[in-house]
């Protein structure tokens, strides 16, 4: 299969925005869904749709089988020891909130500290701040340098006896930095401190092995990896799942309910109250099949190639400033043009058919650290191509022309 052929799996890309060809470069926000996943969703809706784990009838059995298979696919995708350790959530945000609730409210209290990094998305900051306010837990931040690289040499000094959890993203959504999370785990585990990794921007672009990483918690979203919205995964070590509080209460997460009280089911059901996102989870399973069919290594290499080309070419445009120049980077190009607000860059690019994101990318502390309000962010997927880059660069030149 060539990349050109692979592009044909994404019919949505083959359309015009006004007079222009669509150049979809907002993949870090949500990636596109290949026909193979659309077909699987259609098959589910037209042949299997039903509730899971409840019915004895044929459709419920089909839906249950497909849903359970999706969980197996997730486990094998992450190399998790067991699918019972892979909880379906609504997405990364919910996965992290589940840990803040189920782990944080159970094990953390006054005087304790959570270490986060300077590169975090709000999803890996706000739940900890909320927990902190409620329980008297404070946050400590691993700093970064001007290139957007974490200063991990400072981490050992941050890890004193008060630290009960370390939370870092695997790849920064705002700058694209690939963090050395294996090193974070090594340092934290050296002091018996568990680690949560926000993998939202990593799993679509690289092979992740949770056992090799040793992470205690690993969260991600389906919609950034060619799957549908509405589902994500929280992987956790069994020792925590056994001891953590449930997040939500309701059906499916119990063994028995009487007026005297409730006994909870085991993981993953304990953490999946109510009807789960059945269709989306099955779609995620199909997305995993699709990505593995191409190969995560090939995907990563293709995206690195596109990023290198785009970086070189955008720097040729006078007045462009890049944010995030880490040694190890995923396919994110965060930039601005001197004297132009990133929102204006986004609007002009949109008028040329180029979809990017402009703003603080839900990472305001990153923007504050860099002393800017926002950036324009082009983010690449393996189905992008050189024409997308041409269109991006032409659009940025037009921004320059318009704003002089
Ligand atoms: N980042 C972006 O444009 P949800 O919304 O729960 O699926 O994912 C939240 C999230 C958590 N961590 C990281 C590193 C992320 O990048 C995101 C989502 C999108 O960058 C939307 S803000």
């Amino acid at each position: 299969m060539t990349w050109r052929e692979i592009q044909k799996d994404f019919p949505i890309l083959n359309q015009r925005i006004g007079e222009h060809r669509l150049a979809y470069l907002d993949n870090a926000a949500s990636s596109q869904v290949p026909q193979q996943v659309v077909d699987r969703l259609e098959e589910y809706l037209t042949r299997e749709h039903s509730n899971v784990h409840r019915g004895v009838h044929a459709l419920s059995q089909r839906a249950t089988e497909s849903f359970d298979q999706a969980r197996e696919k997730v486990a094998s995708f992450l190399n998790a020891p067991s699918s019972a350790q892979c909880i379906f959530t609504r997405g990364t945000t919910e996965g992290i909130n589940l840990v803040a609730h189920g782990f944080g409210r159970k094990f953390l209290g006054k005087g304790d500290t959570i270490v986060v990094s300077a590169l975090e998305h709000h999803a890996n900051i706000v739940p900890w701040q909320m927990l902190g306010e409620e329980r008297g837990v404070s946050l400590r931040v691993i700093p970064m340098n001007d290139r957007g690289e974490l200063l991990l040499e400072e981490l050992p000094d941050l890890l004193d006896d008060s630290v009960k959890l370390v939370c870092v993203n695997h790849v920064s959504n705002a700058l694209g930095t690939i963090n050395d999370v294996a090193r974070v785990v090594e340092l934290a585990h050296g002091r018996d401190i568990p680690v949560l990794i926000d993998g939202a921007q990593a799993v679509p672009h690289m092979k992740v092995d949770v056992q090799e990483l040793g992470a205690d918690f690993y969260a991600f979203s389906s919609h950034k990896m060619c799957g549908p919205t509405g589902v994500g995964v929280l992987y956790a070590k069994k020792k925590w799942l056994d001891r953590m509080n449930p997040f939500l209460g309701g059906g499916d997460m119990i063994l028995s309910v009487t007026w005297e009280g409730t006994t909870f089911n085991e993981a993953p059901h304990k953490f999946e109250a109510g009807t789960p996102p059945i269709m989306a989870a099955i779609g995620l399973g199909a997305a995993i099949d699709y990505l593995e069919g191409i190969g995560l290594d090939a995907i990563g290499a293709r995206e690195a190639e596109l990023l290198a080309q785009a970086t070189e070419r955008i720097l040729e445009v006078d007045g462009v400033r890049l944010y995030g120049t880490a040694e190890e980077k995923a396919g994110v190009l965060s930039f601005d043009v001197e004297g132009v607000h990133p929102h204006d860059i986004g609007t002009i690019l949109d008028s040329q058919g180029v979809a990017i994101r402009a703003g603080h990318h839900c990472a305001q502390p990153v923007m504050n650290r860099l002393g800017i309000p926002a950036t324009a962010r082009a983010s690449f997927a393996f189905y992008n191509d050189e024409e997308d880059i041409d269109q991006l660069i032409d659009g940025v030149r037009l921004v320059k022309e318009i704003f002089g």
Side-chain angles (χ1 to χ4, degrees), residues 33 37 41 221-224 226-232 279-285 287:
V33 178
V37 173
L41 294 173
S221 304
S222 150
H223 68 97
K224 296 185 196 290
C226 297
T229 51
V231 71
M279 178 177 73
I282 292 170
L284 168 60

Side-chain angles (χ1 to χ4, degrees), residues 28-29 91-93 121 123 169 171 173 198 200-201 221 223-224 357 361-362 377:
T92 310
T93 304
H121 184 280
N169 61 32
V171 174
N173 69 315
D198 169 353
Q201 300 290 348
S221 304
H223 68 97
K224 296 185 196 290
R357 183 171 175 189
H361 315 298
C362 301
R377 182 190 70 180

Side-chain angles (χ1 to χ4, degrees), residues 143-201:
M144 70 177 194
N145 63 21
D146 293 341
R147 294 157 58 90
E149 294 164 320
L150 293 182
L151 301 176
L152 288 188
E153 62 275 20
E154 298 197 13
L155 180 55
D157 288 340
L158 299 177
L159 299 179
D160 61 24
D161 289 345
S162 73
V163 178
K164 296 294 175 338
L165 185 65
V166 175
C167 304
V168 285
N169 61 32
H170 198 161
V171 174
S172 152
N173 69 315
L175 304 182
T177 314
I178 302 176
N179 293 313
D180 187 355
V181 284
R183 178 81 183 128
V184 173
V185 172
E186 188 186 322
L187 290 170
H189 282 186
R191 300 202 53 141
D192 276 338
I193 302 165
V195 178
L196 176 143
I197 299 175
D198 169 353
Q201 300 290 348

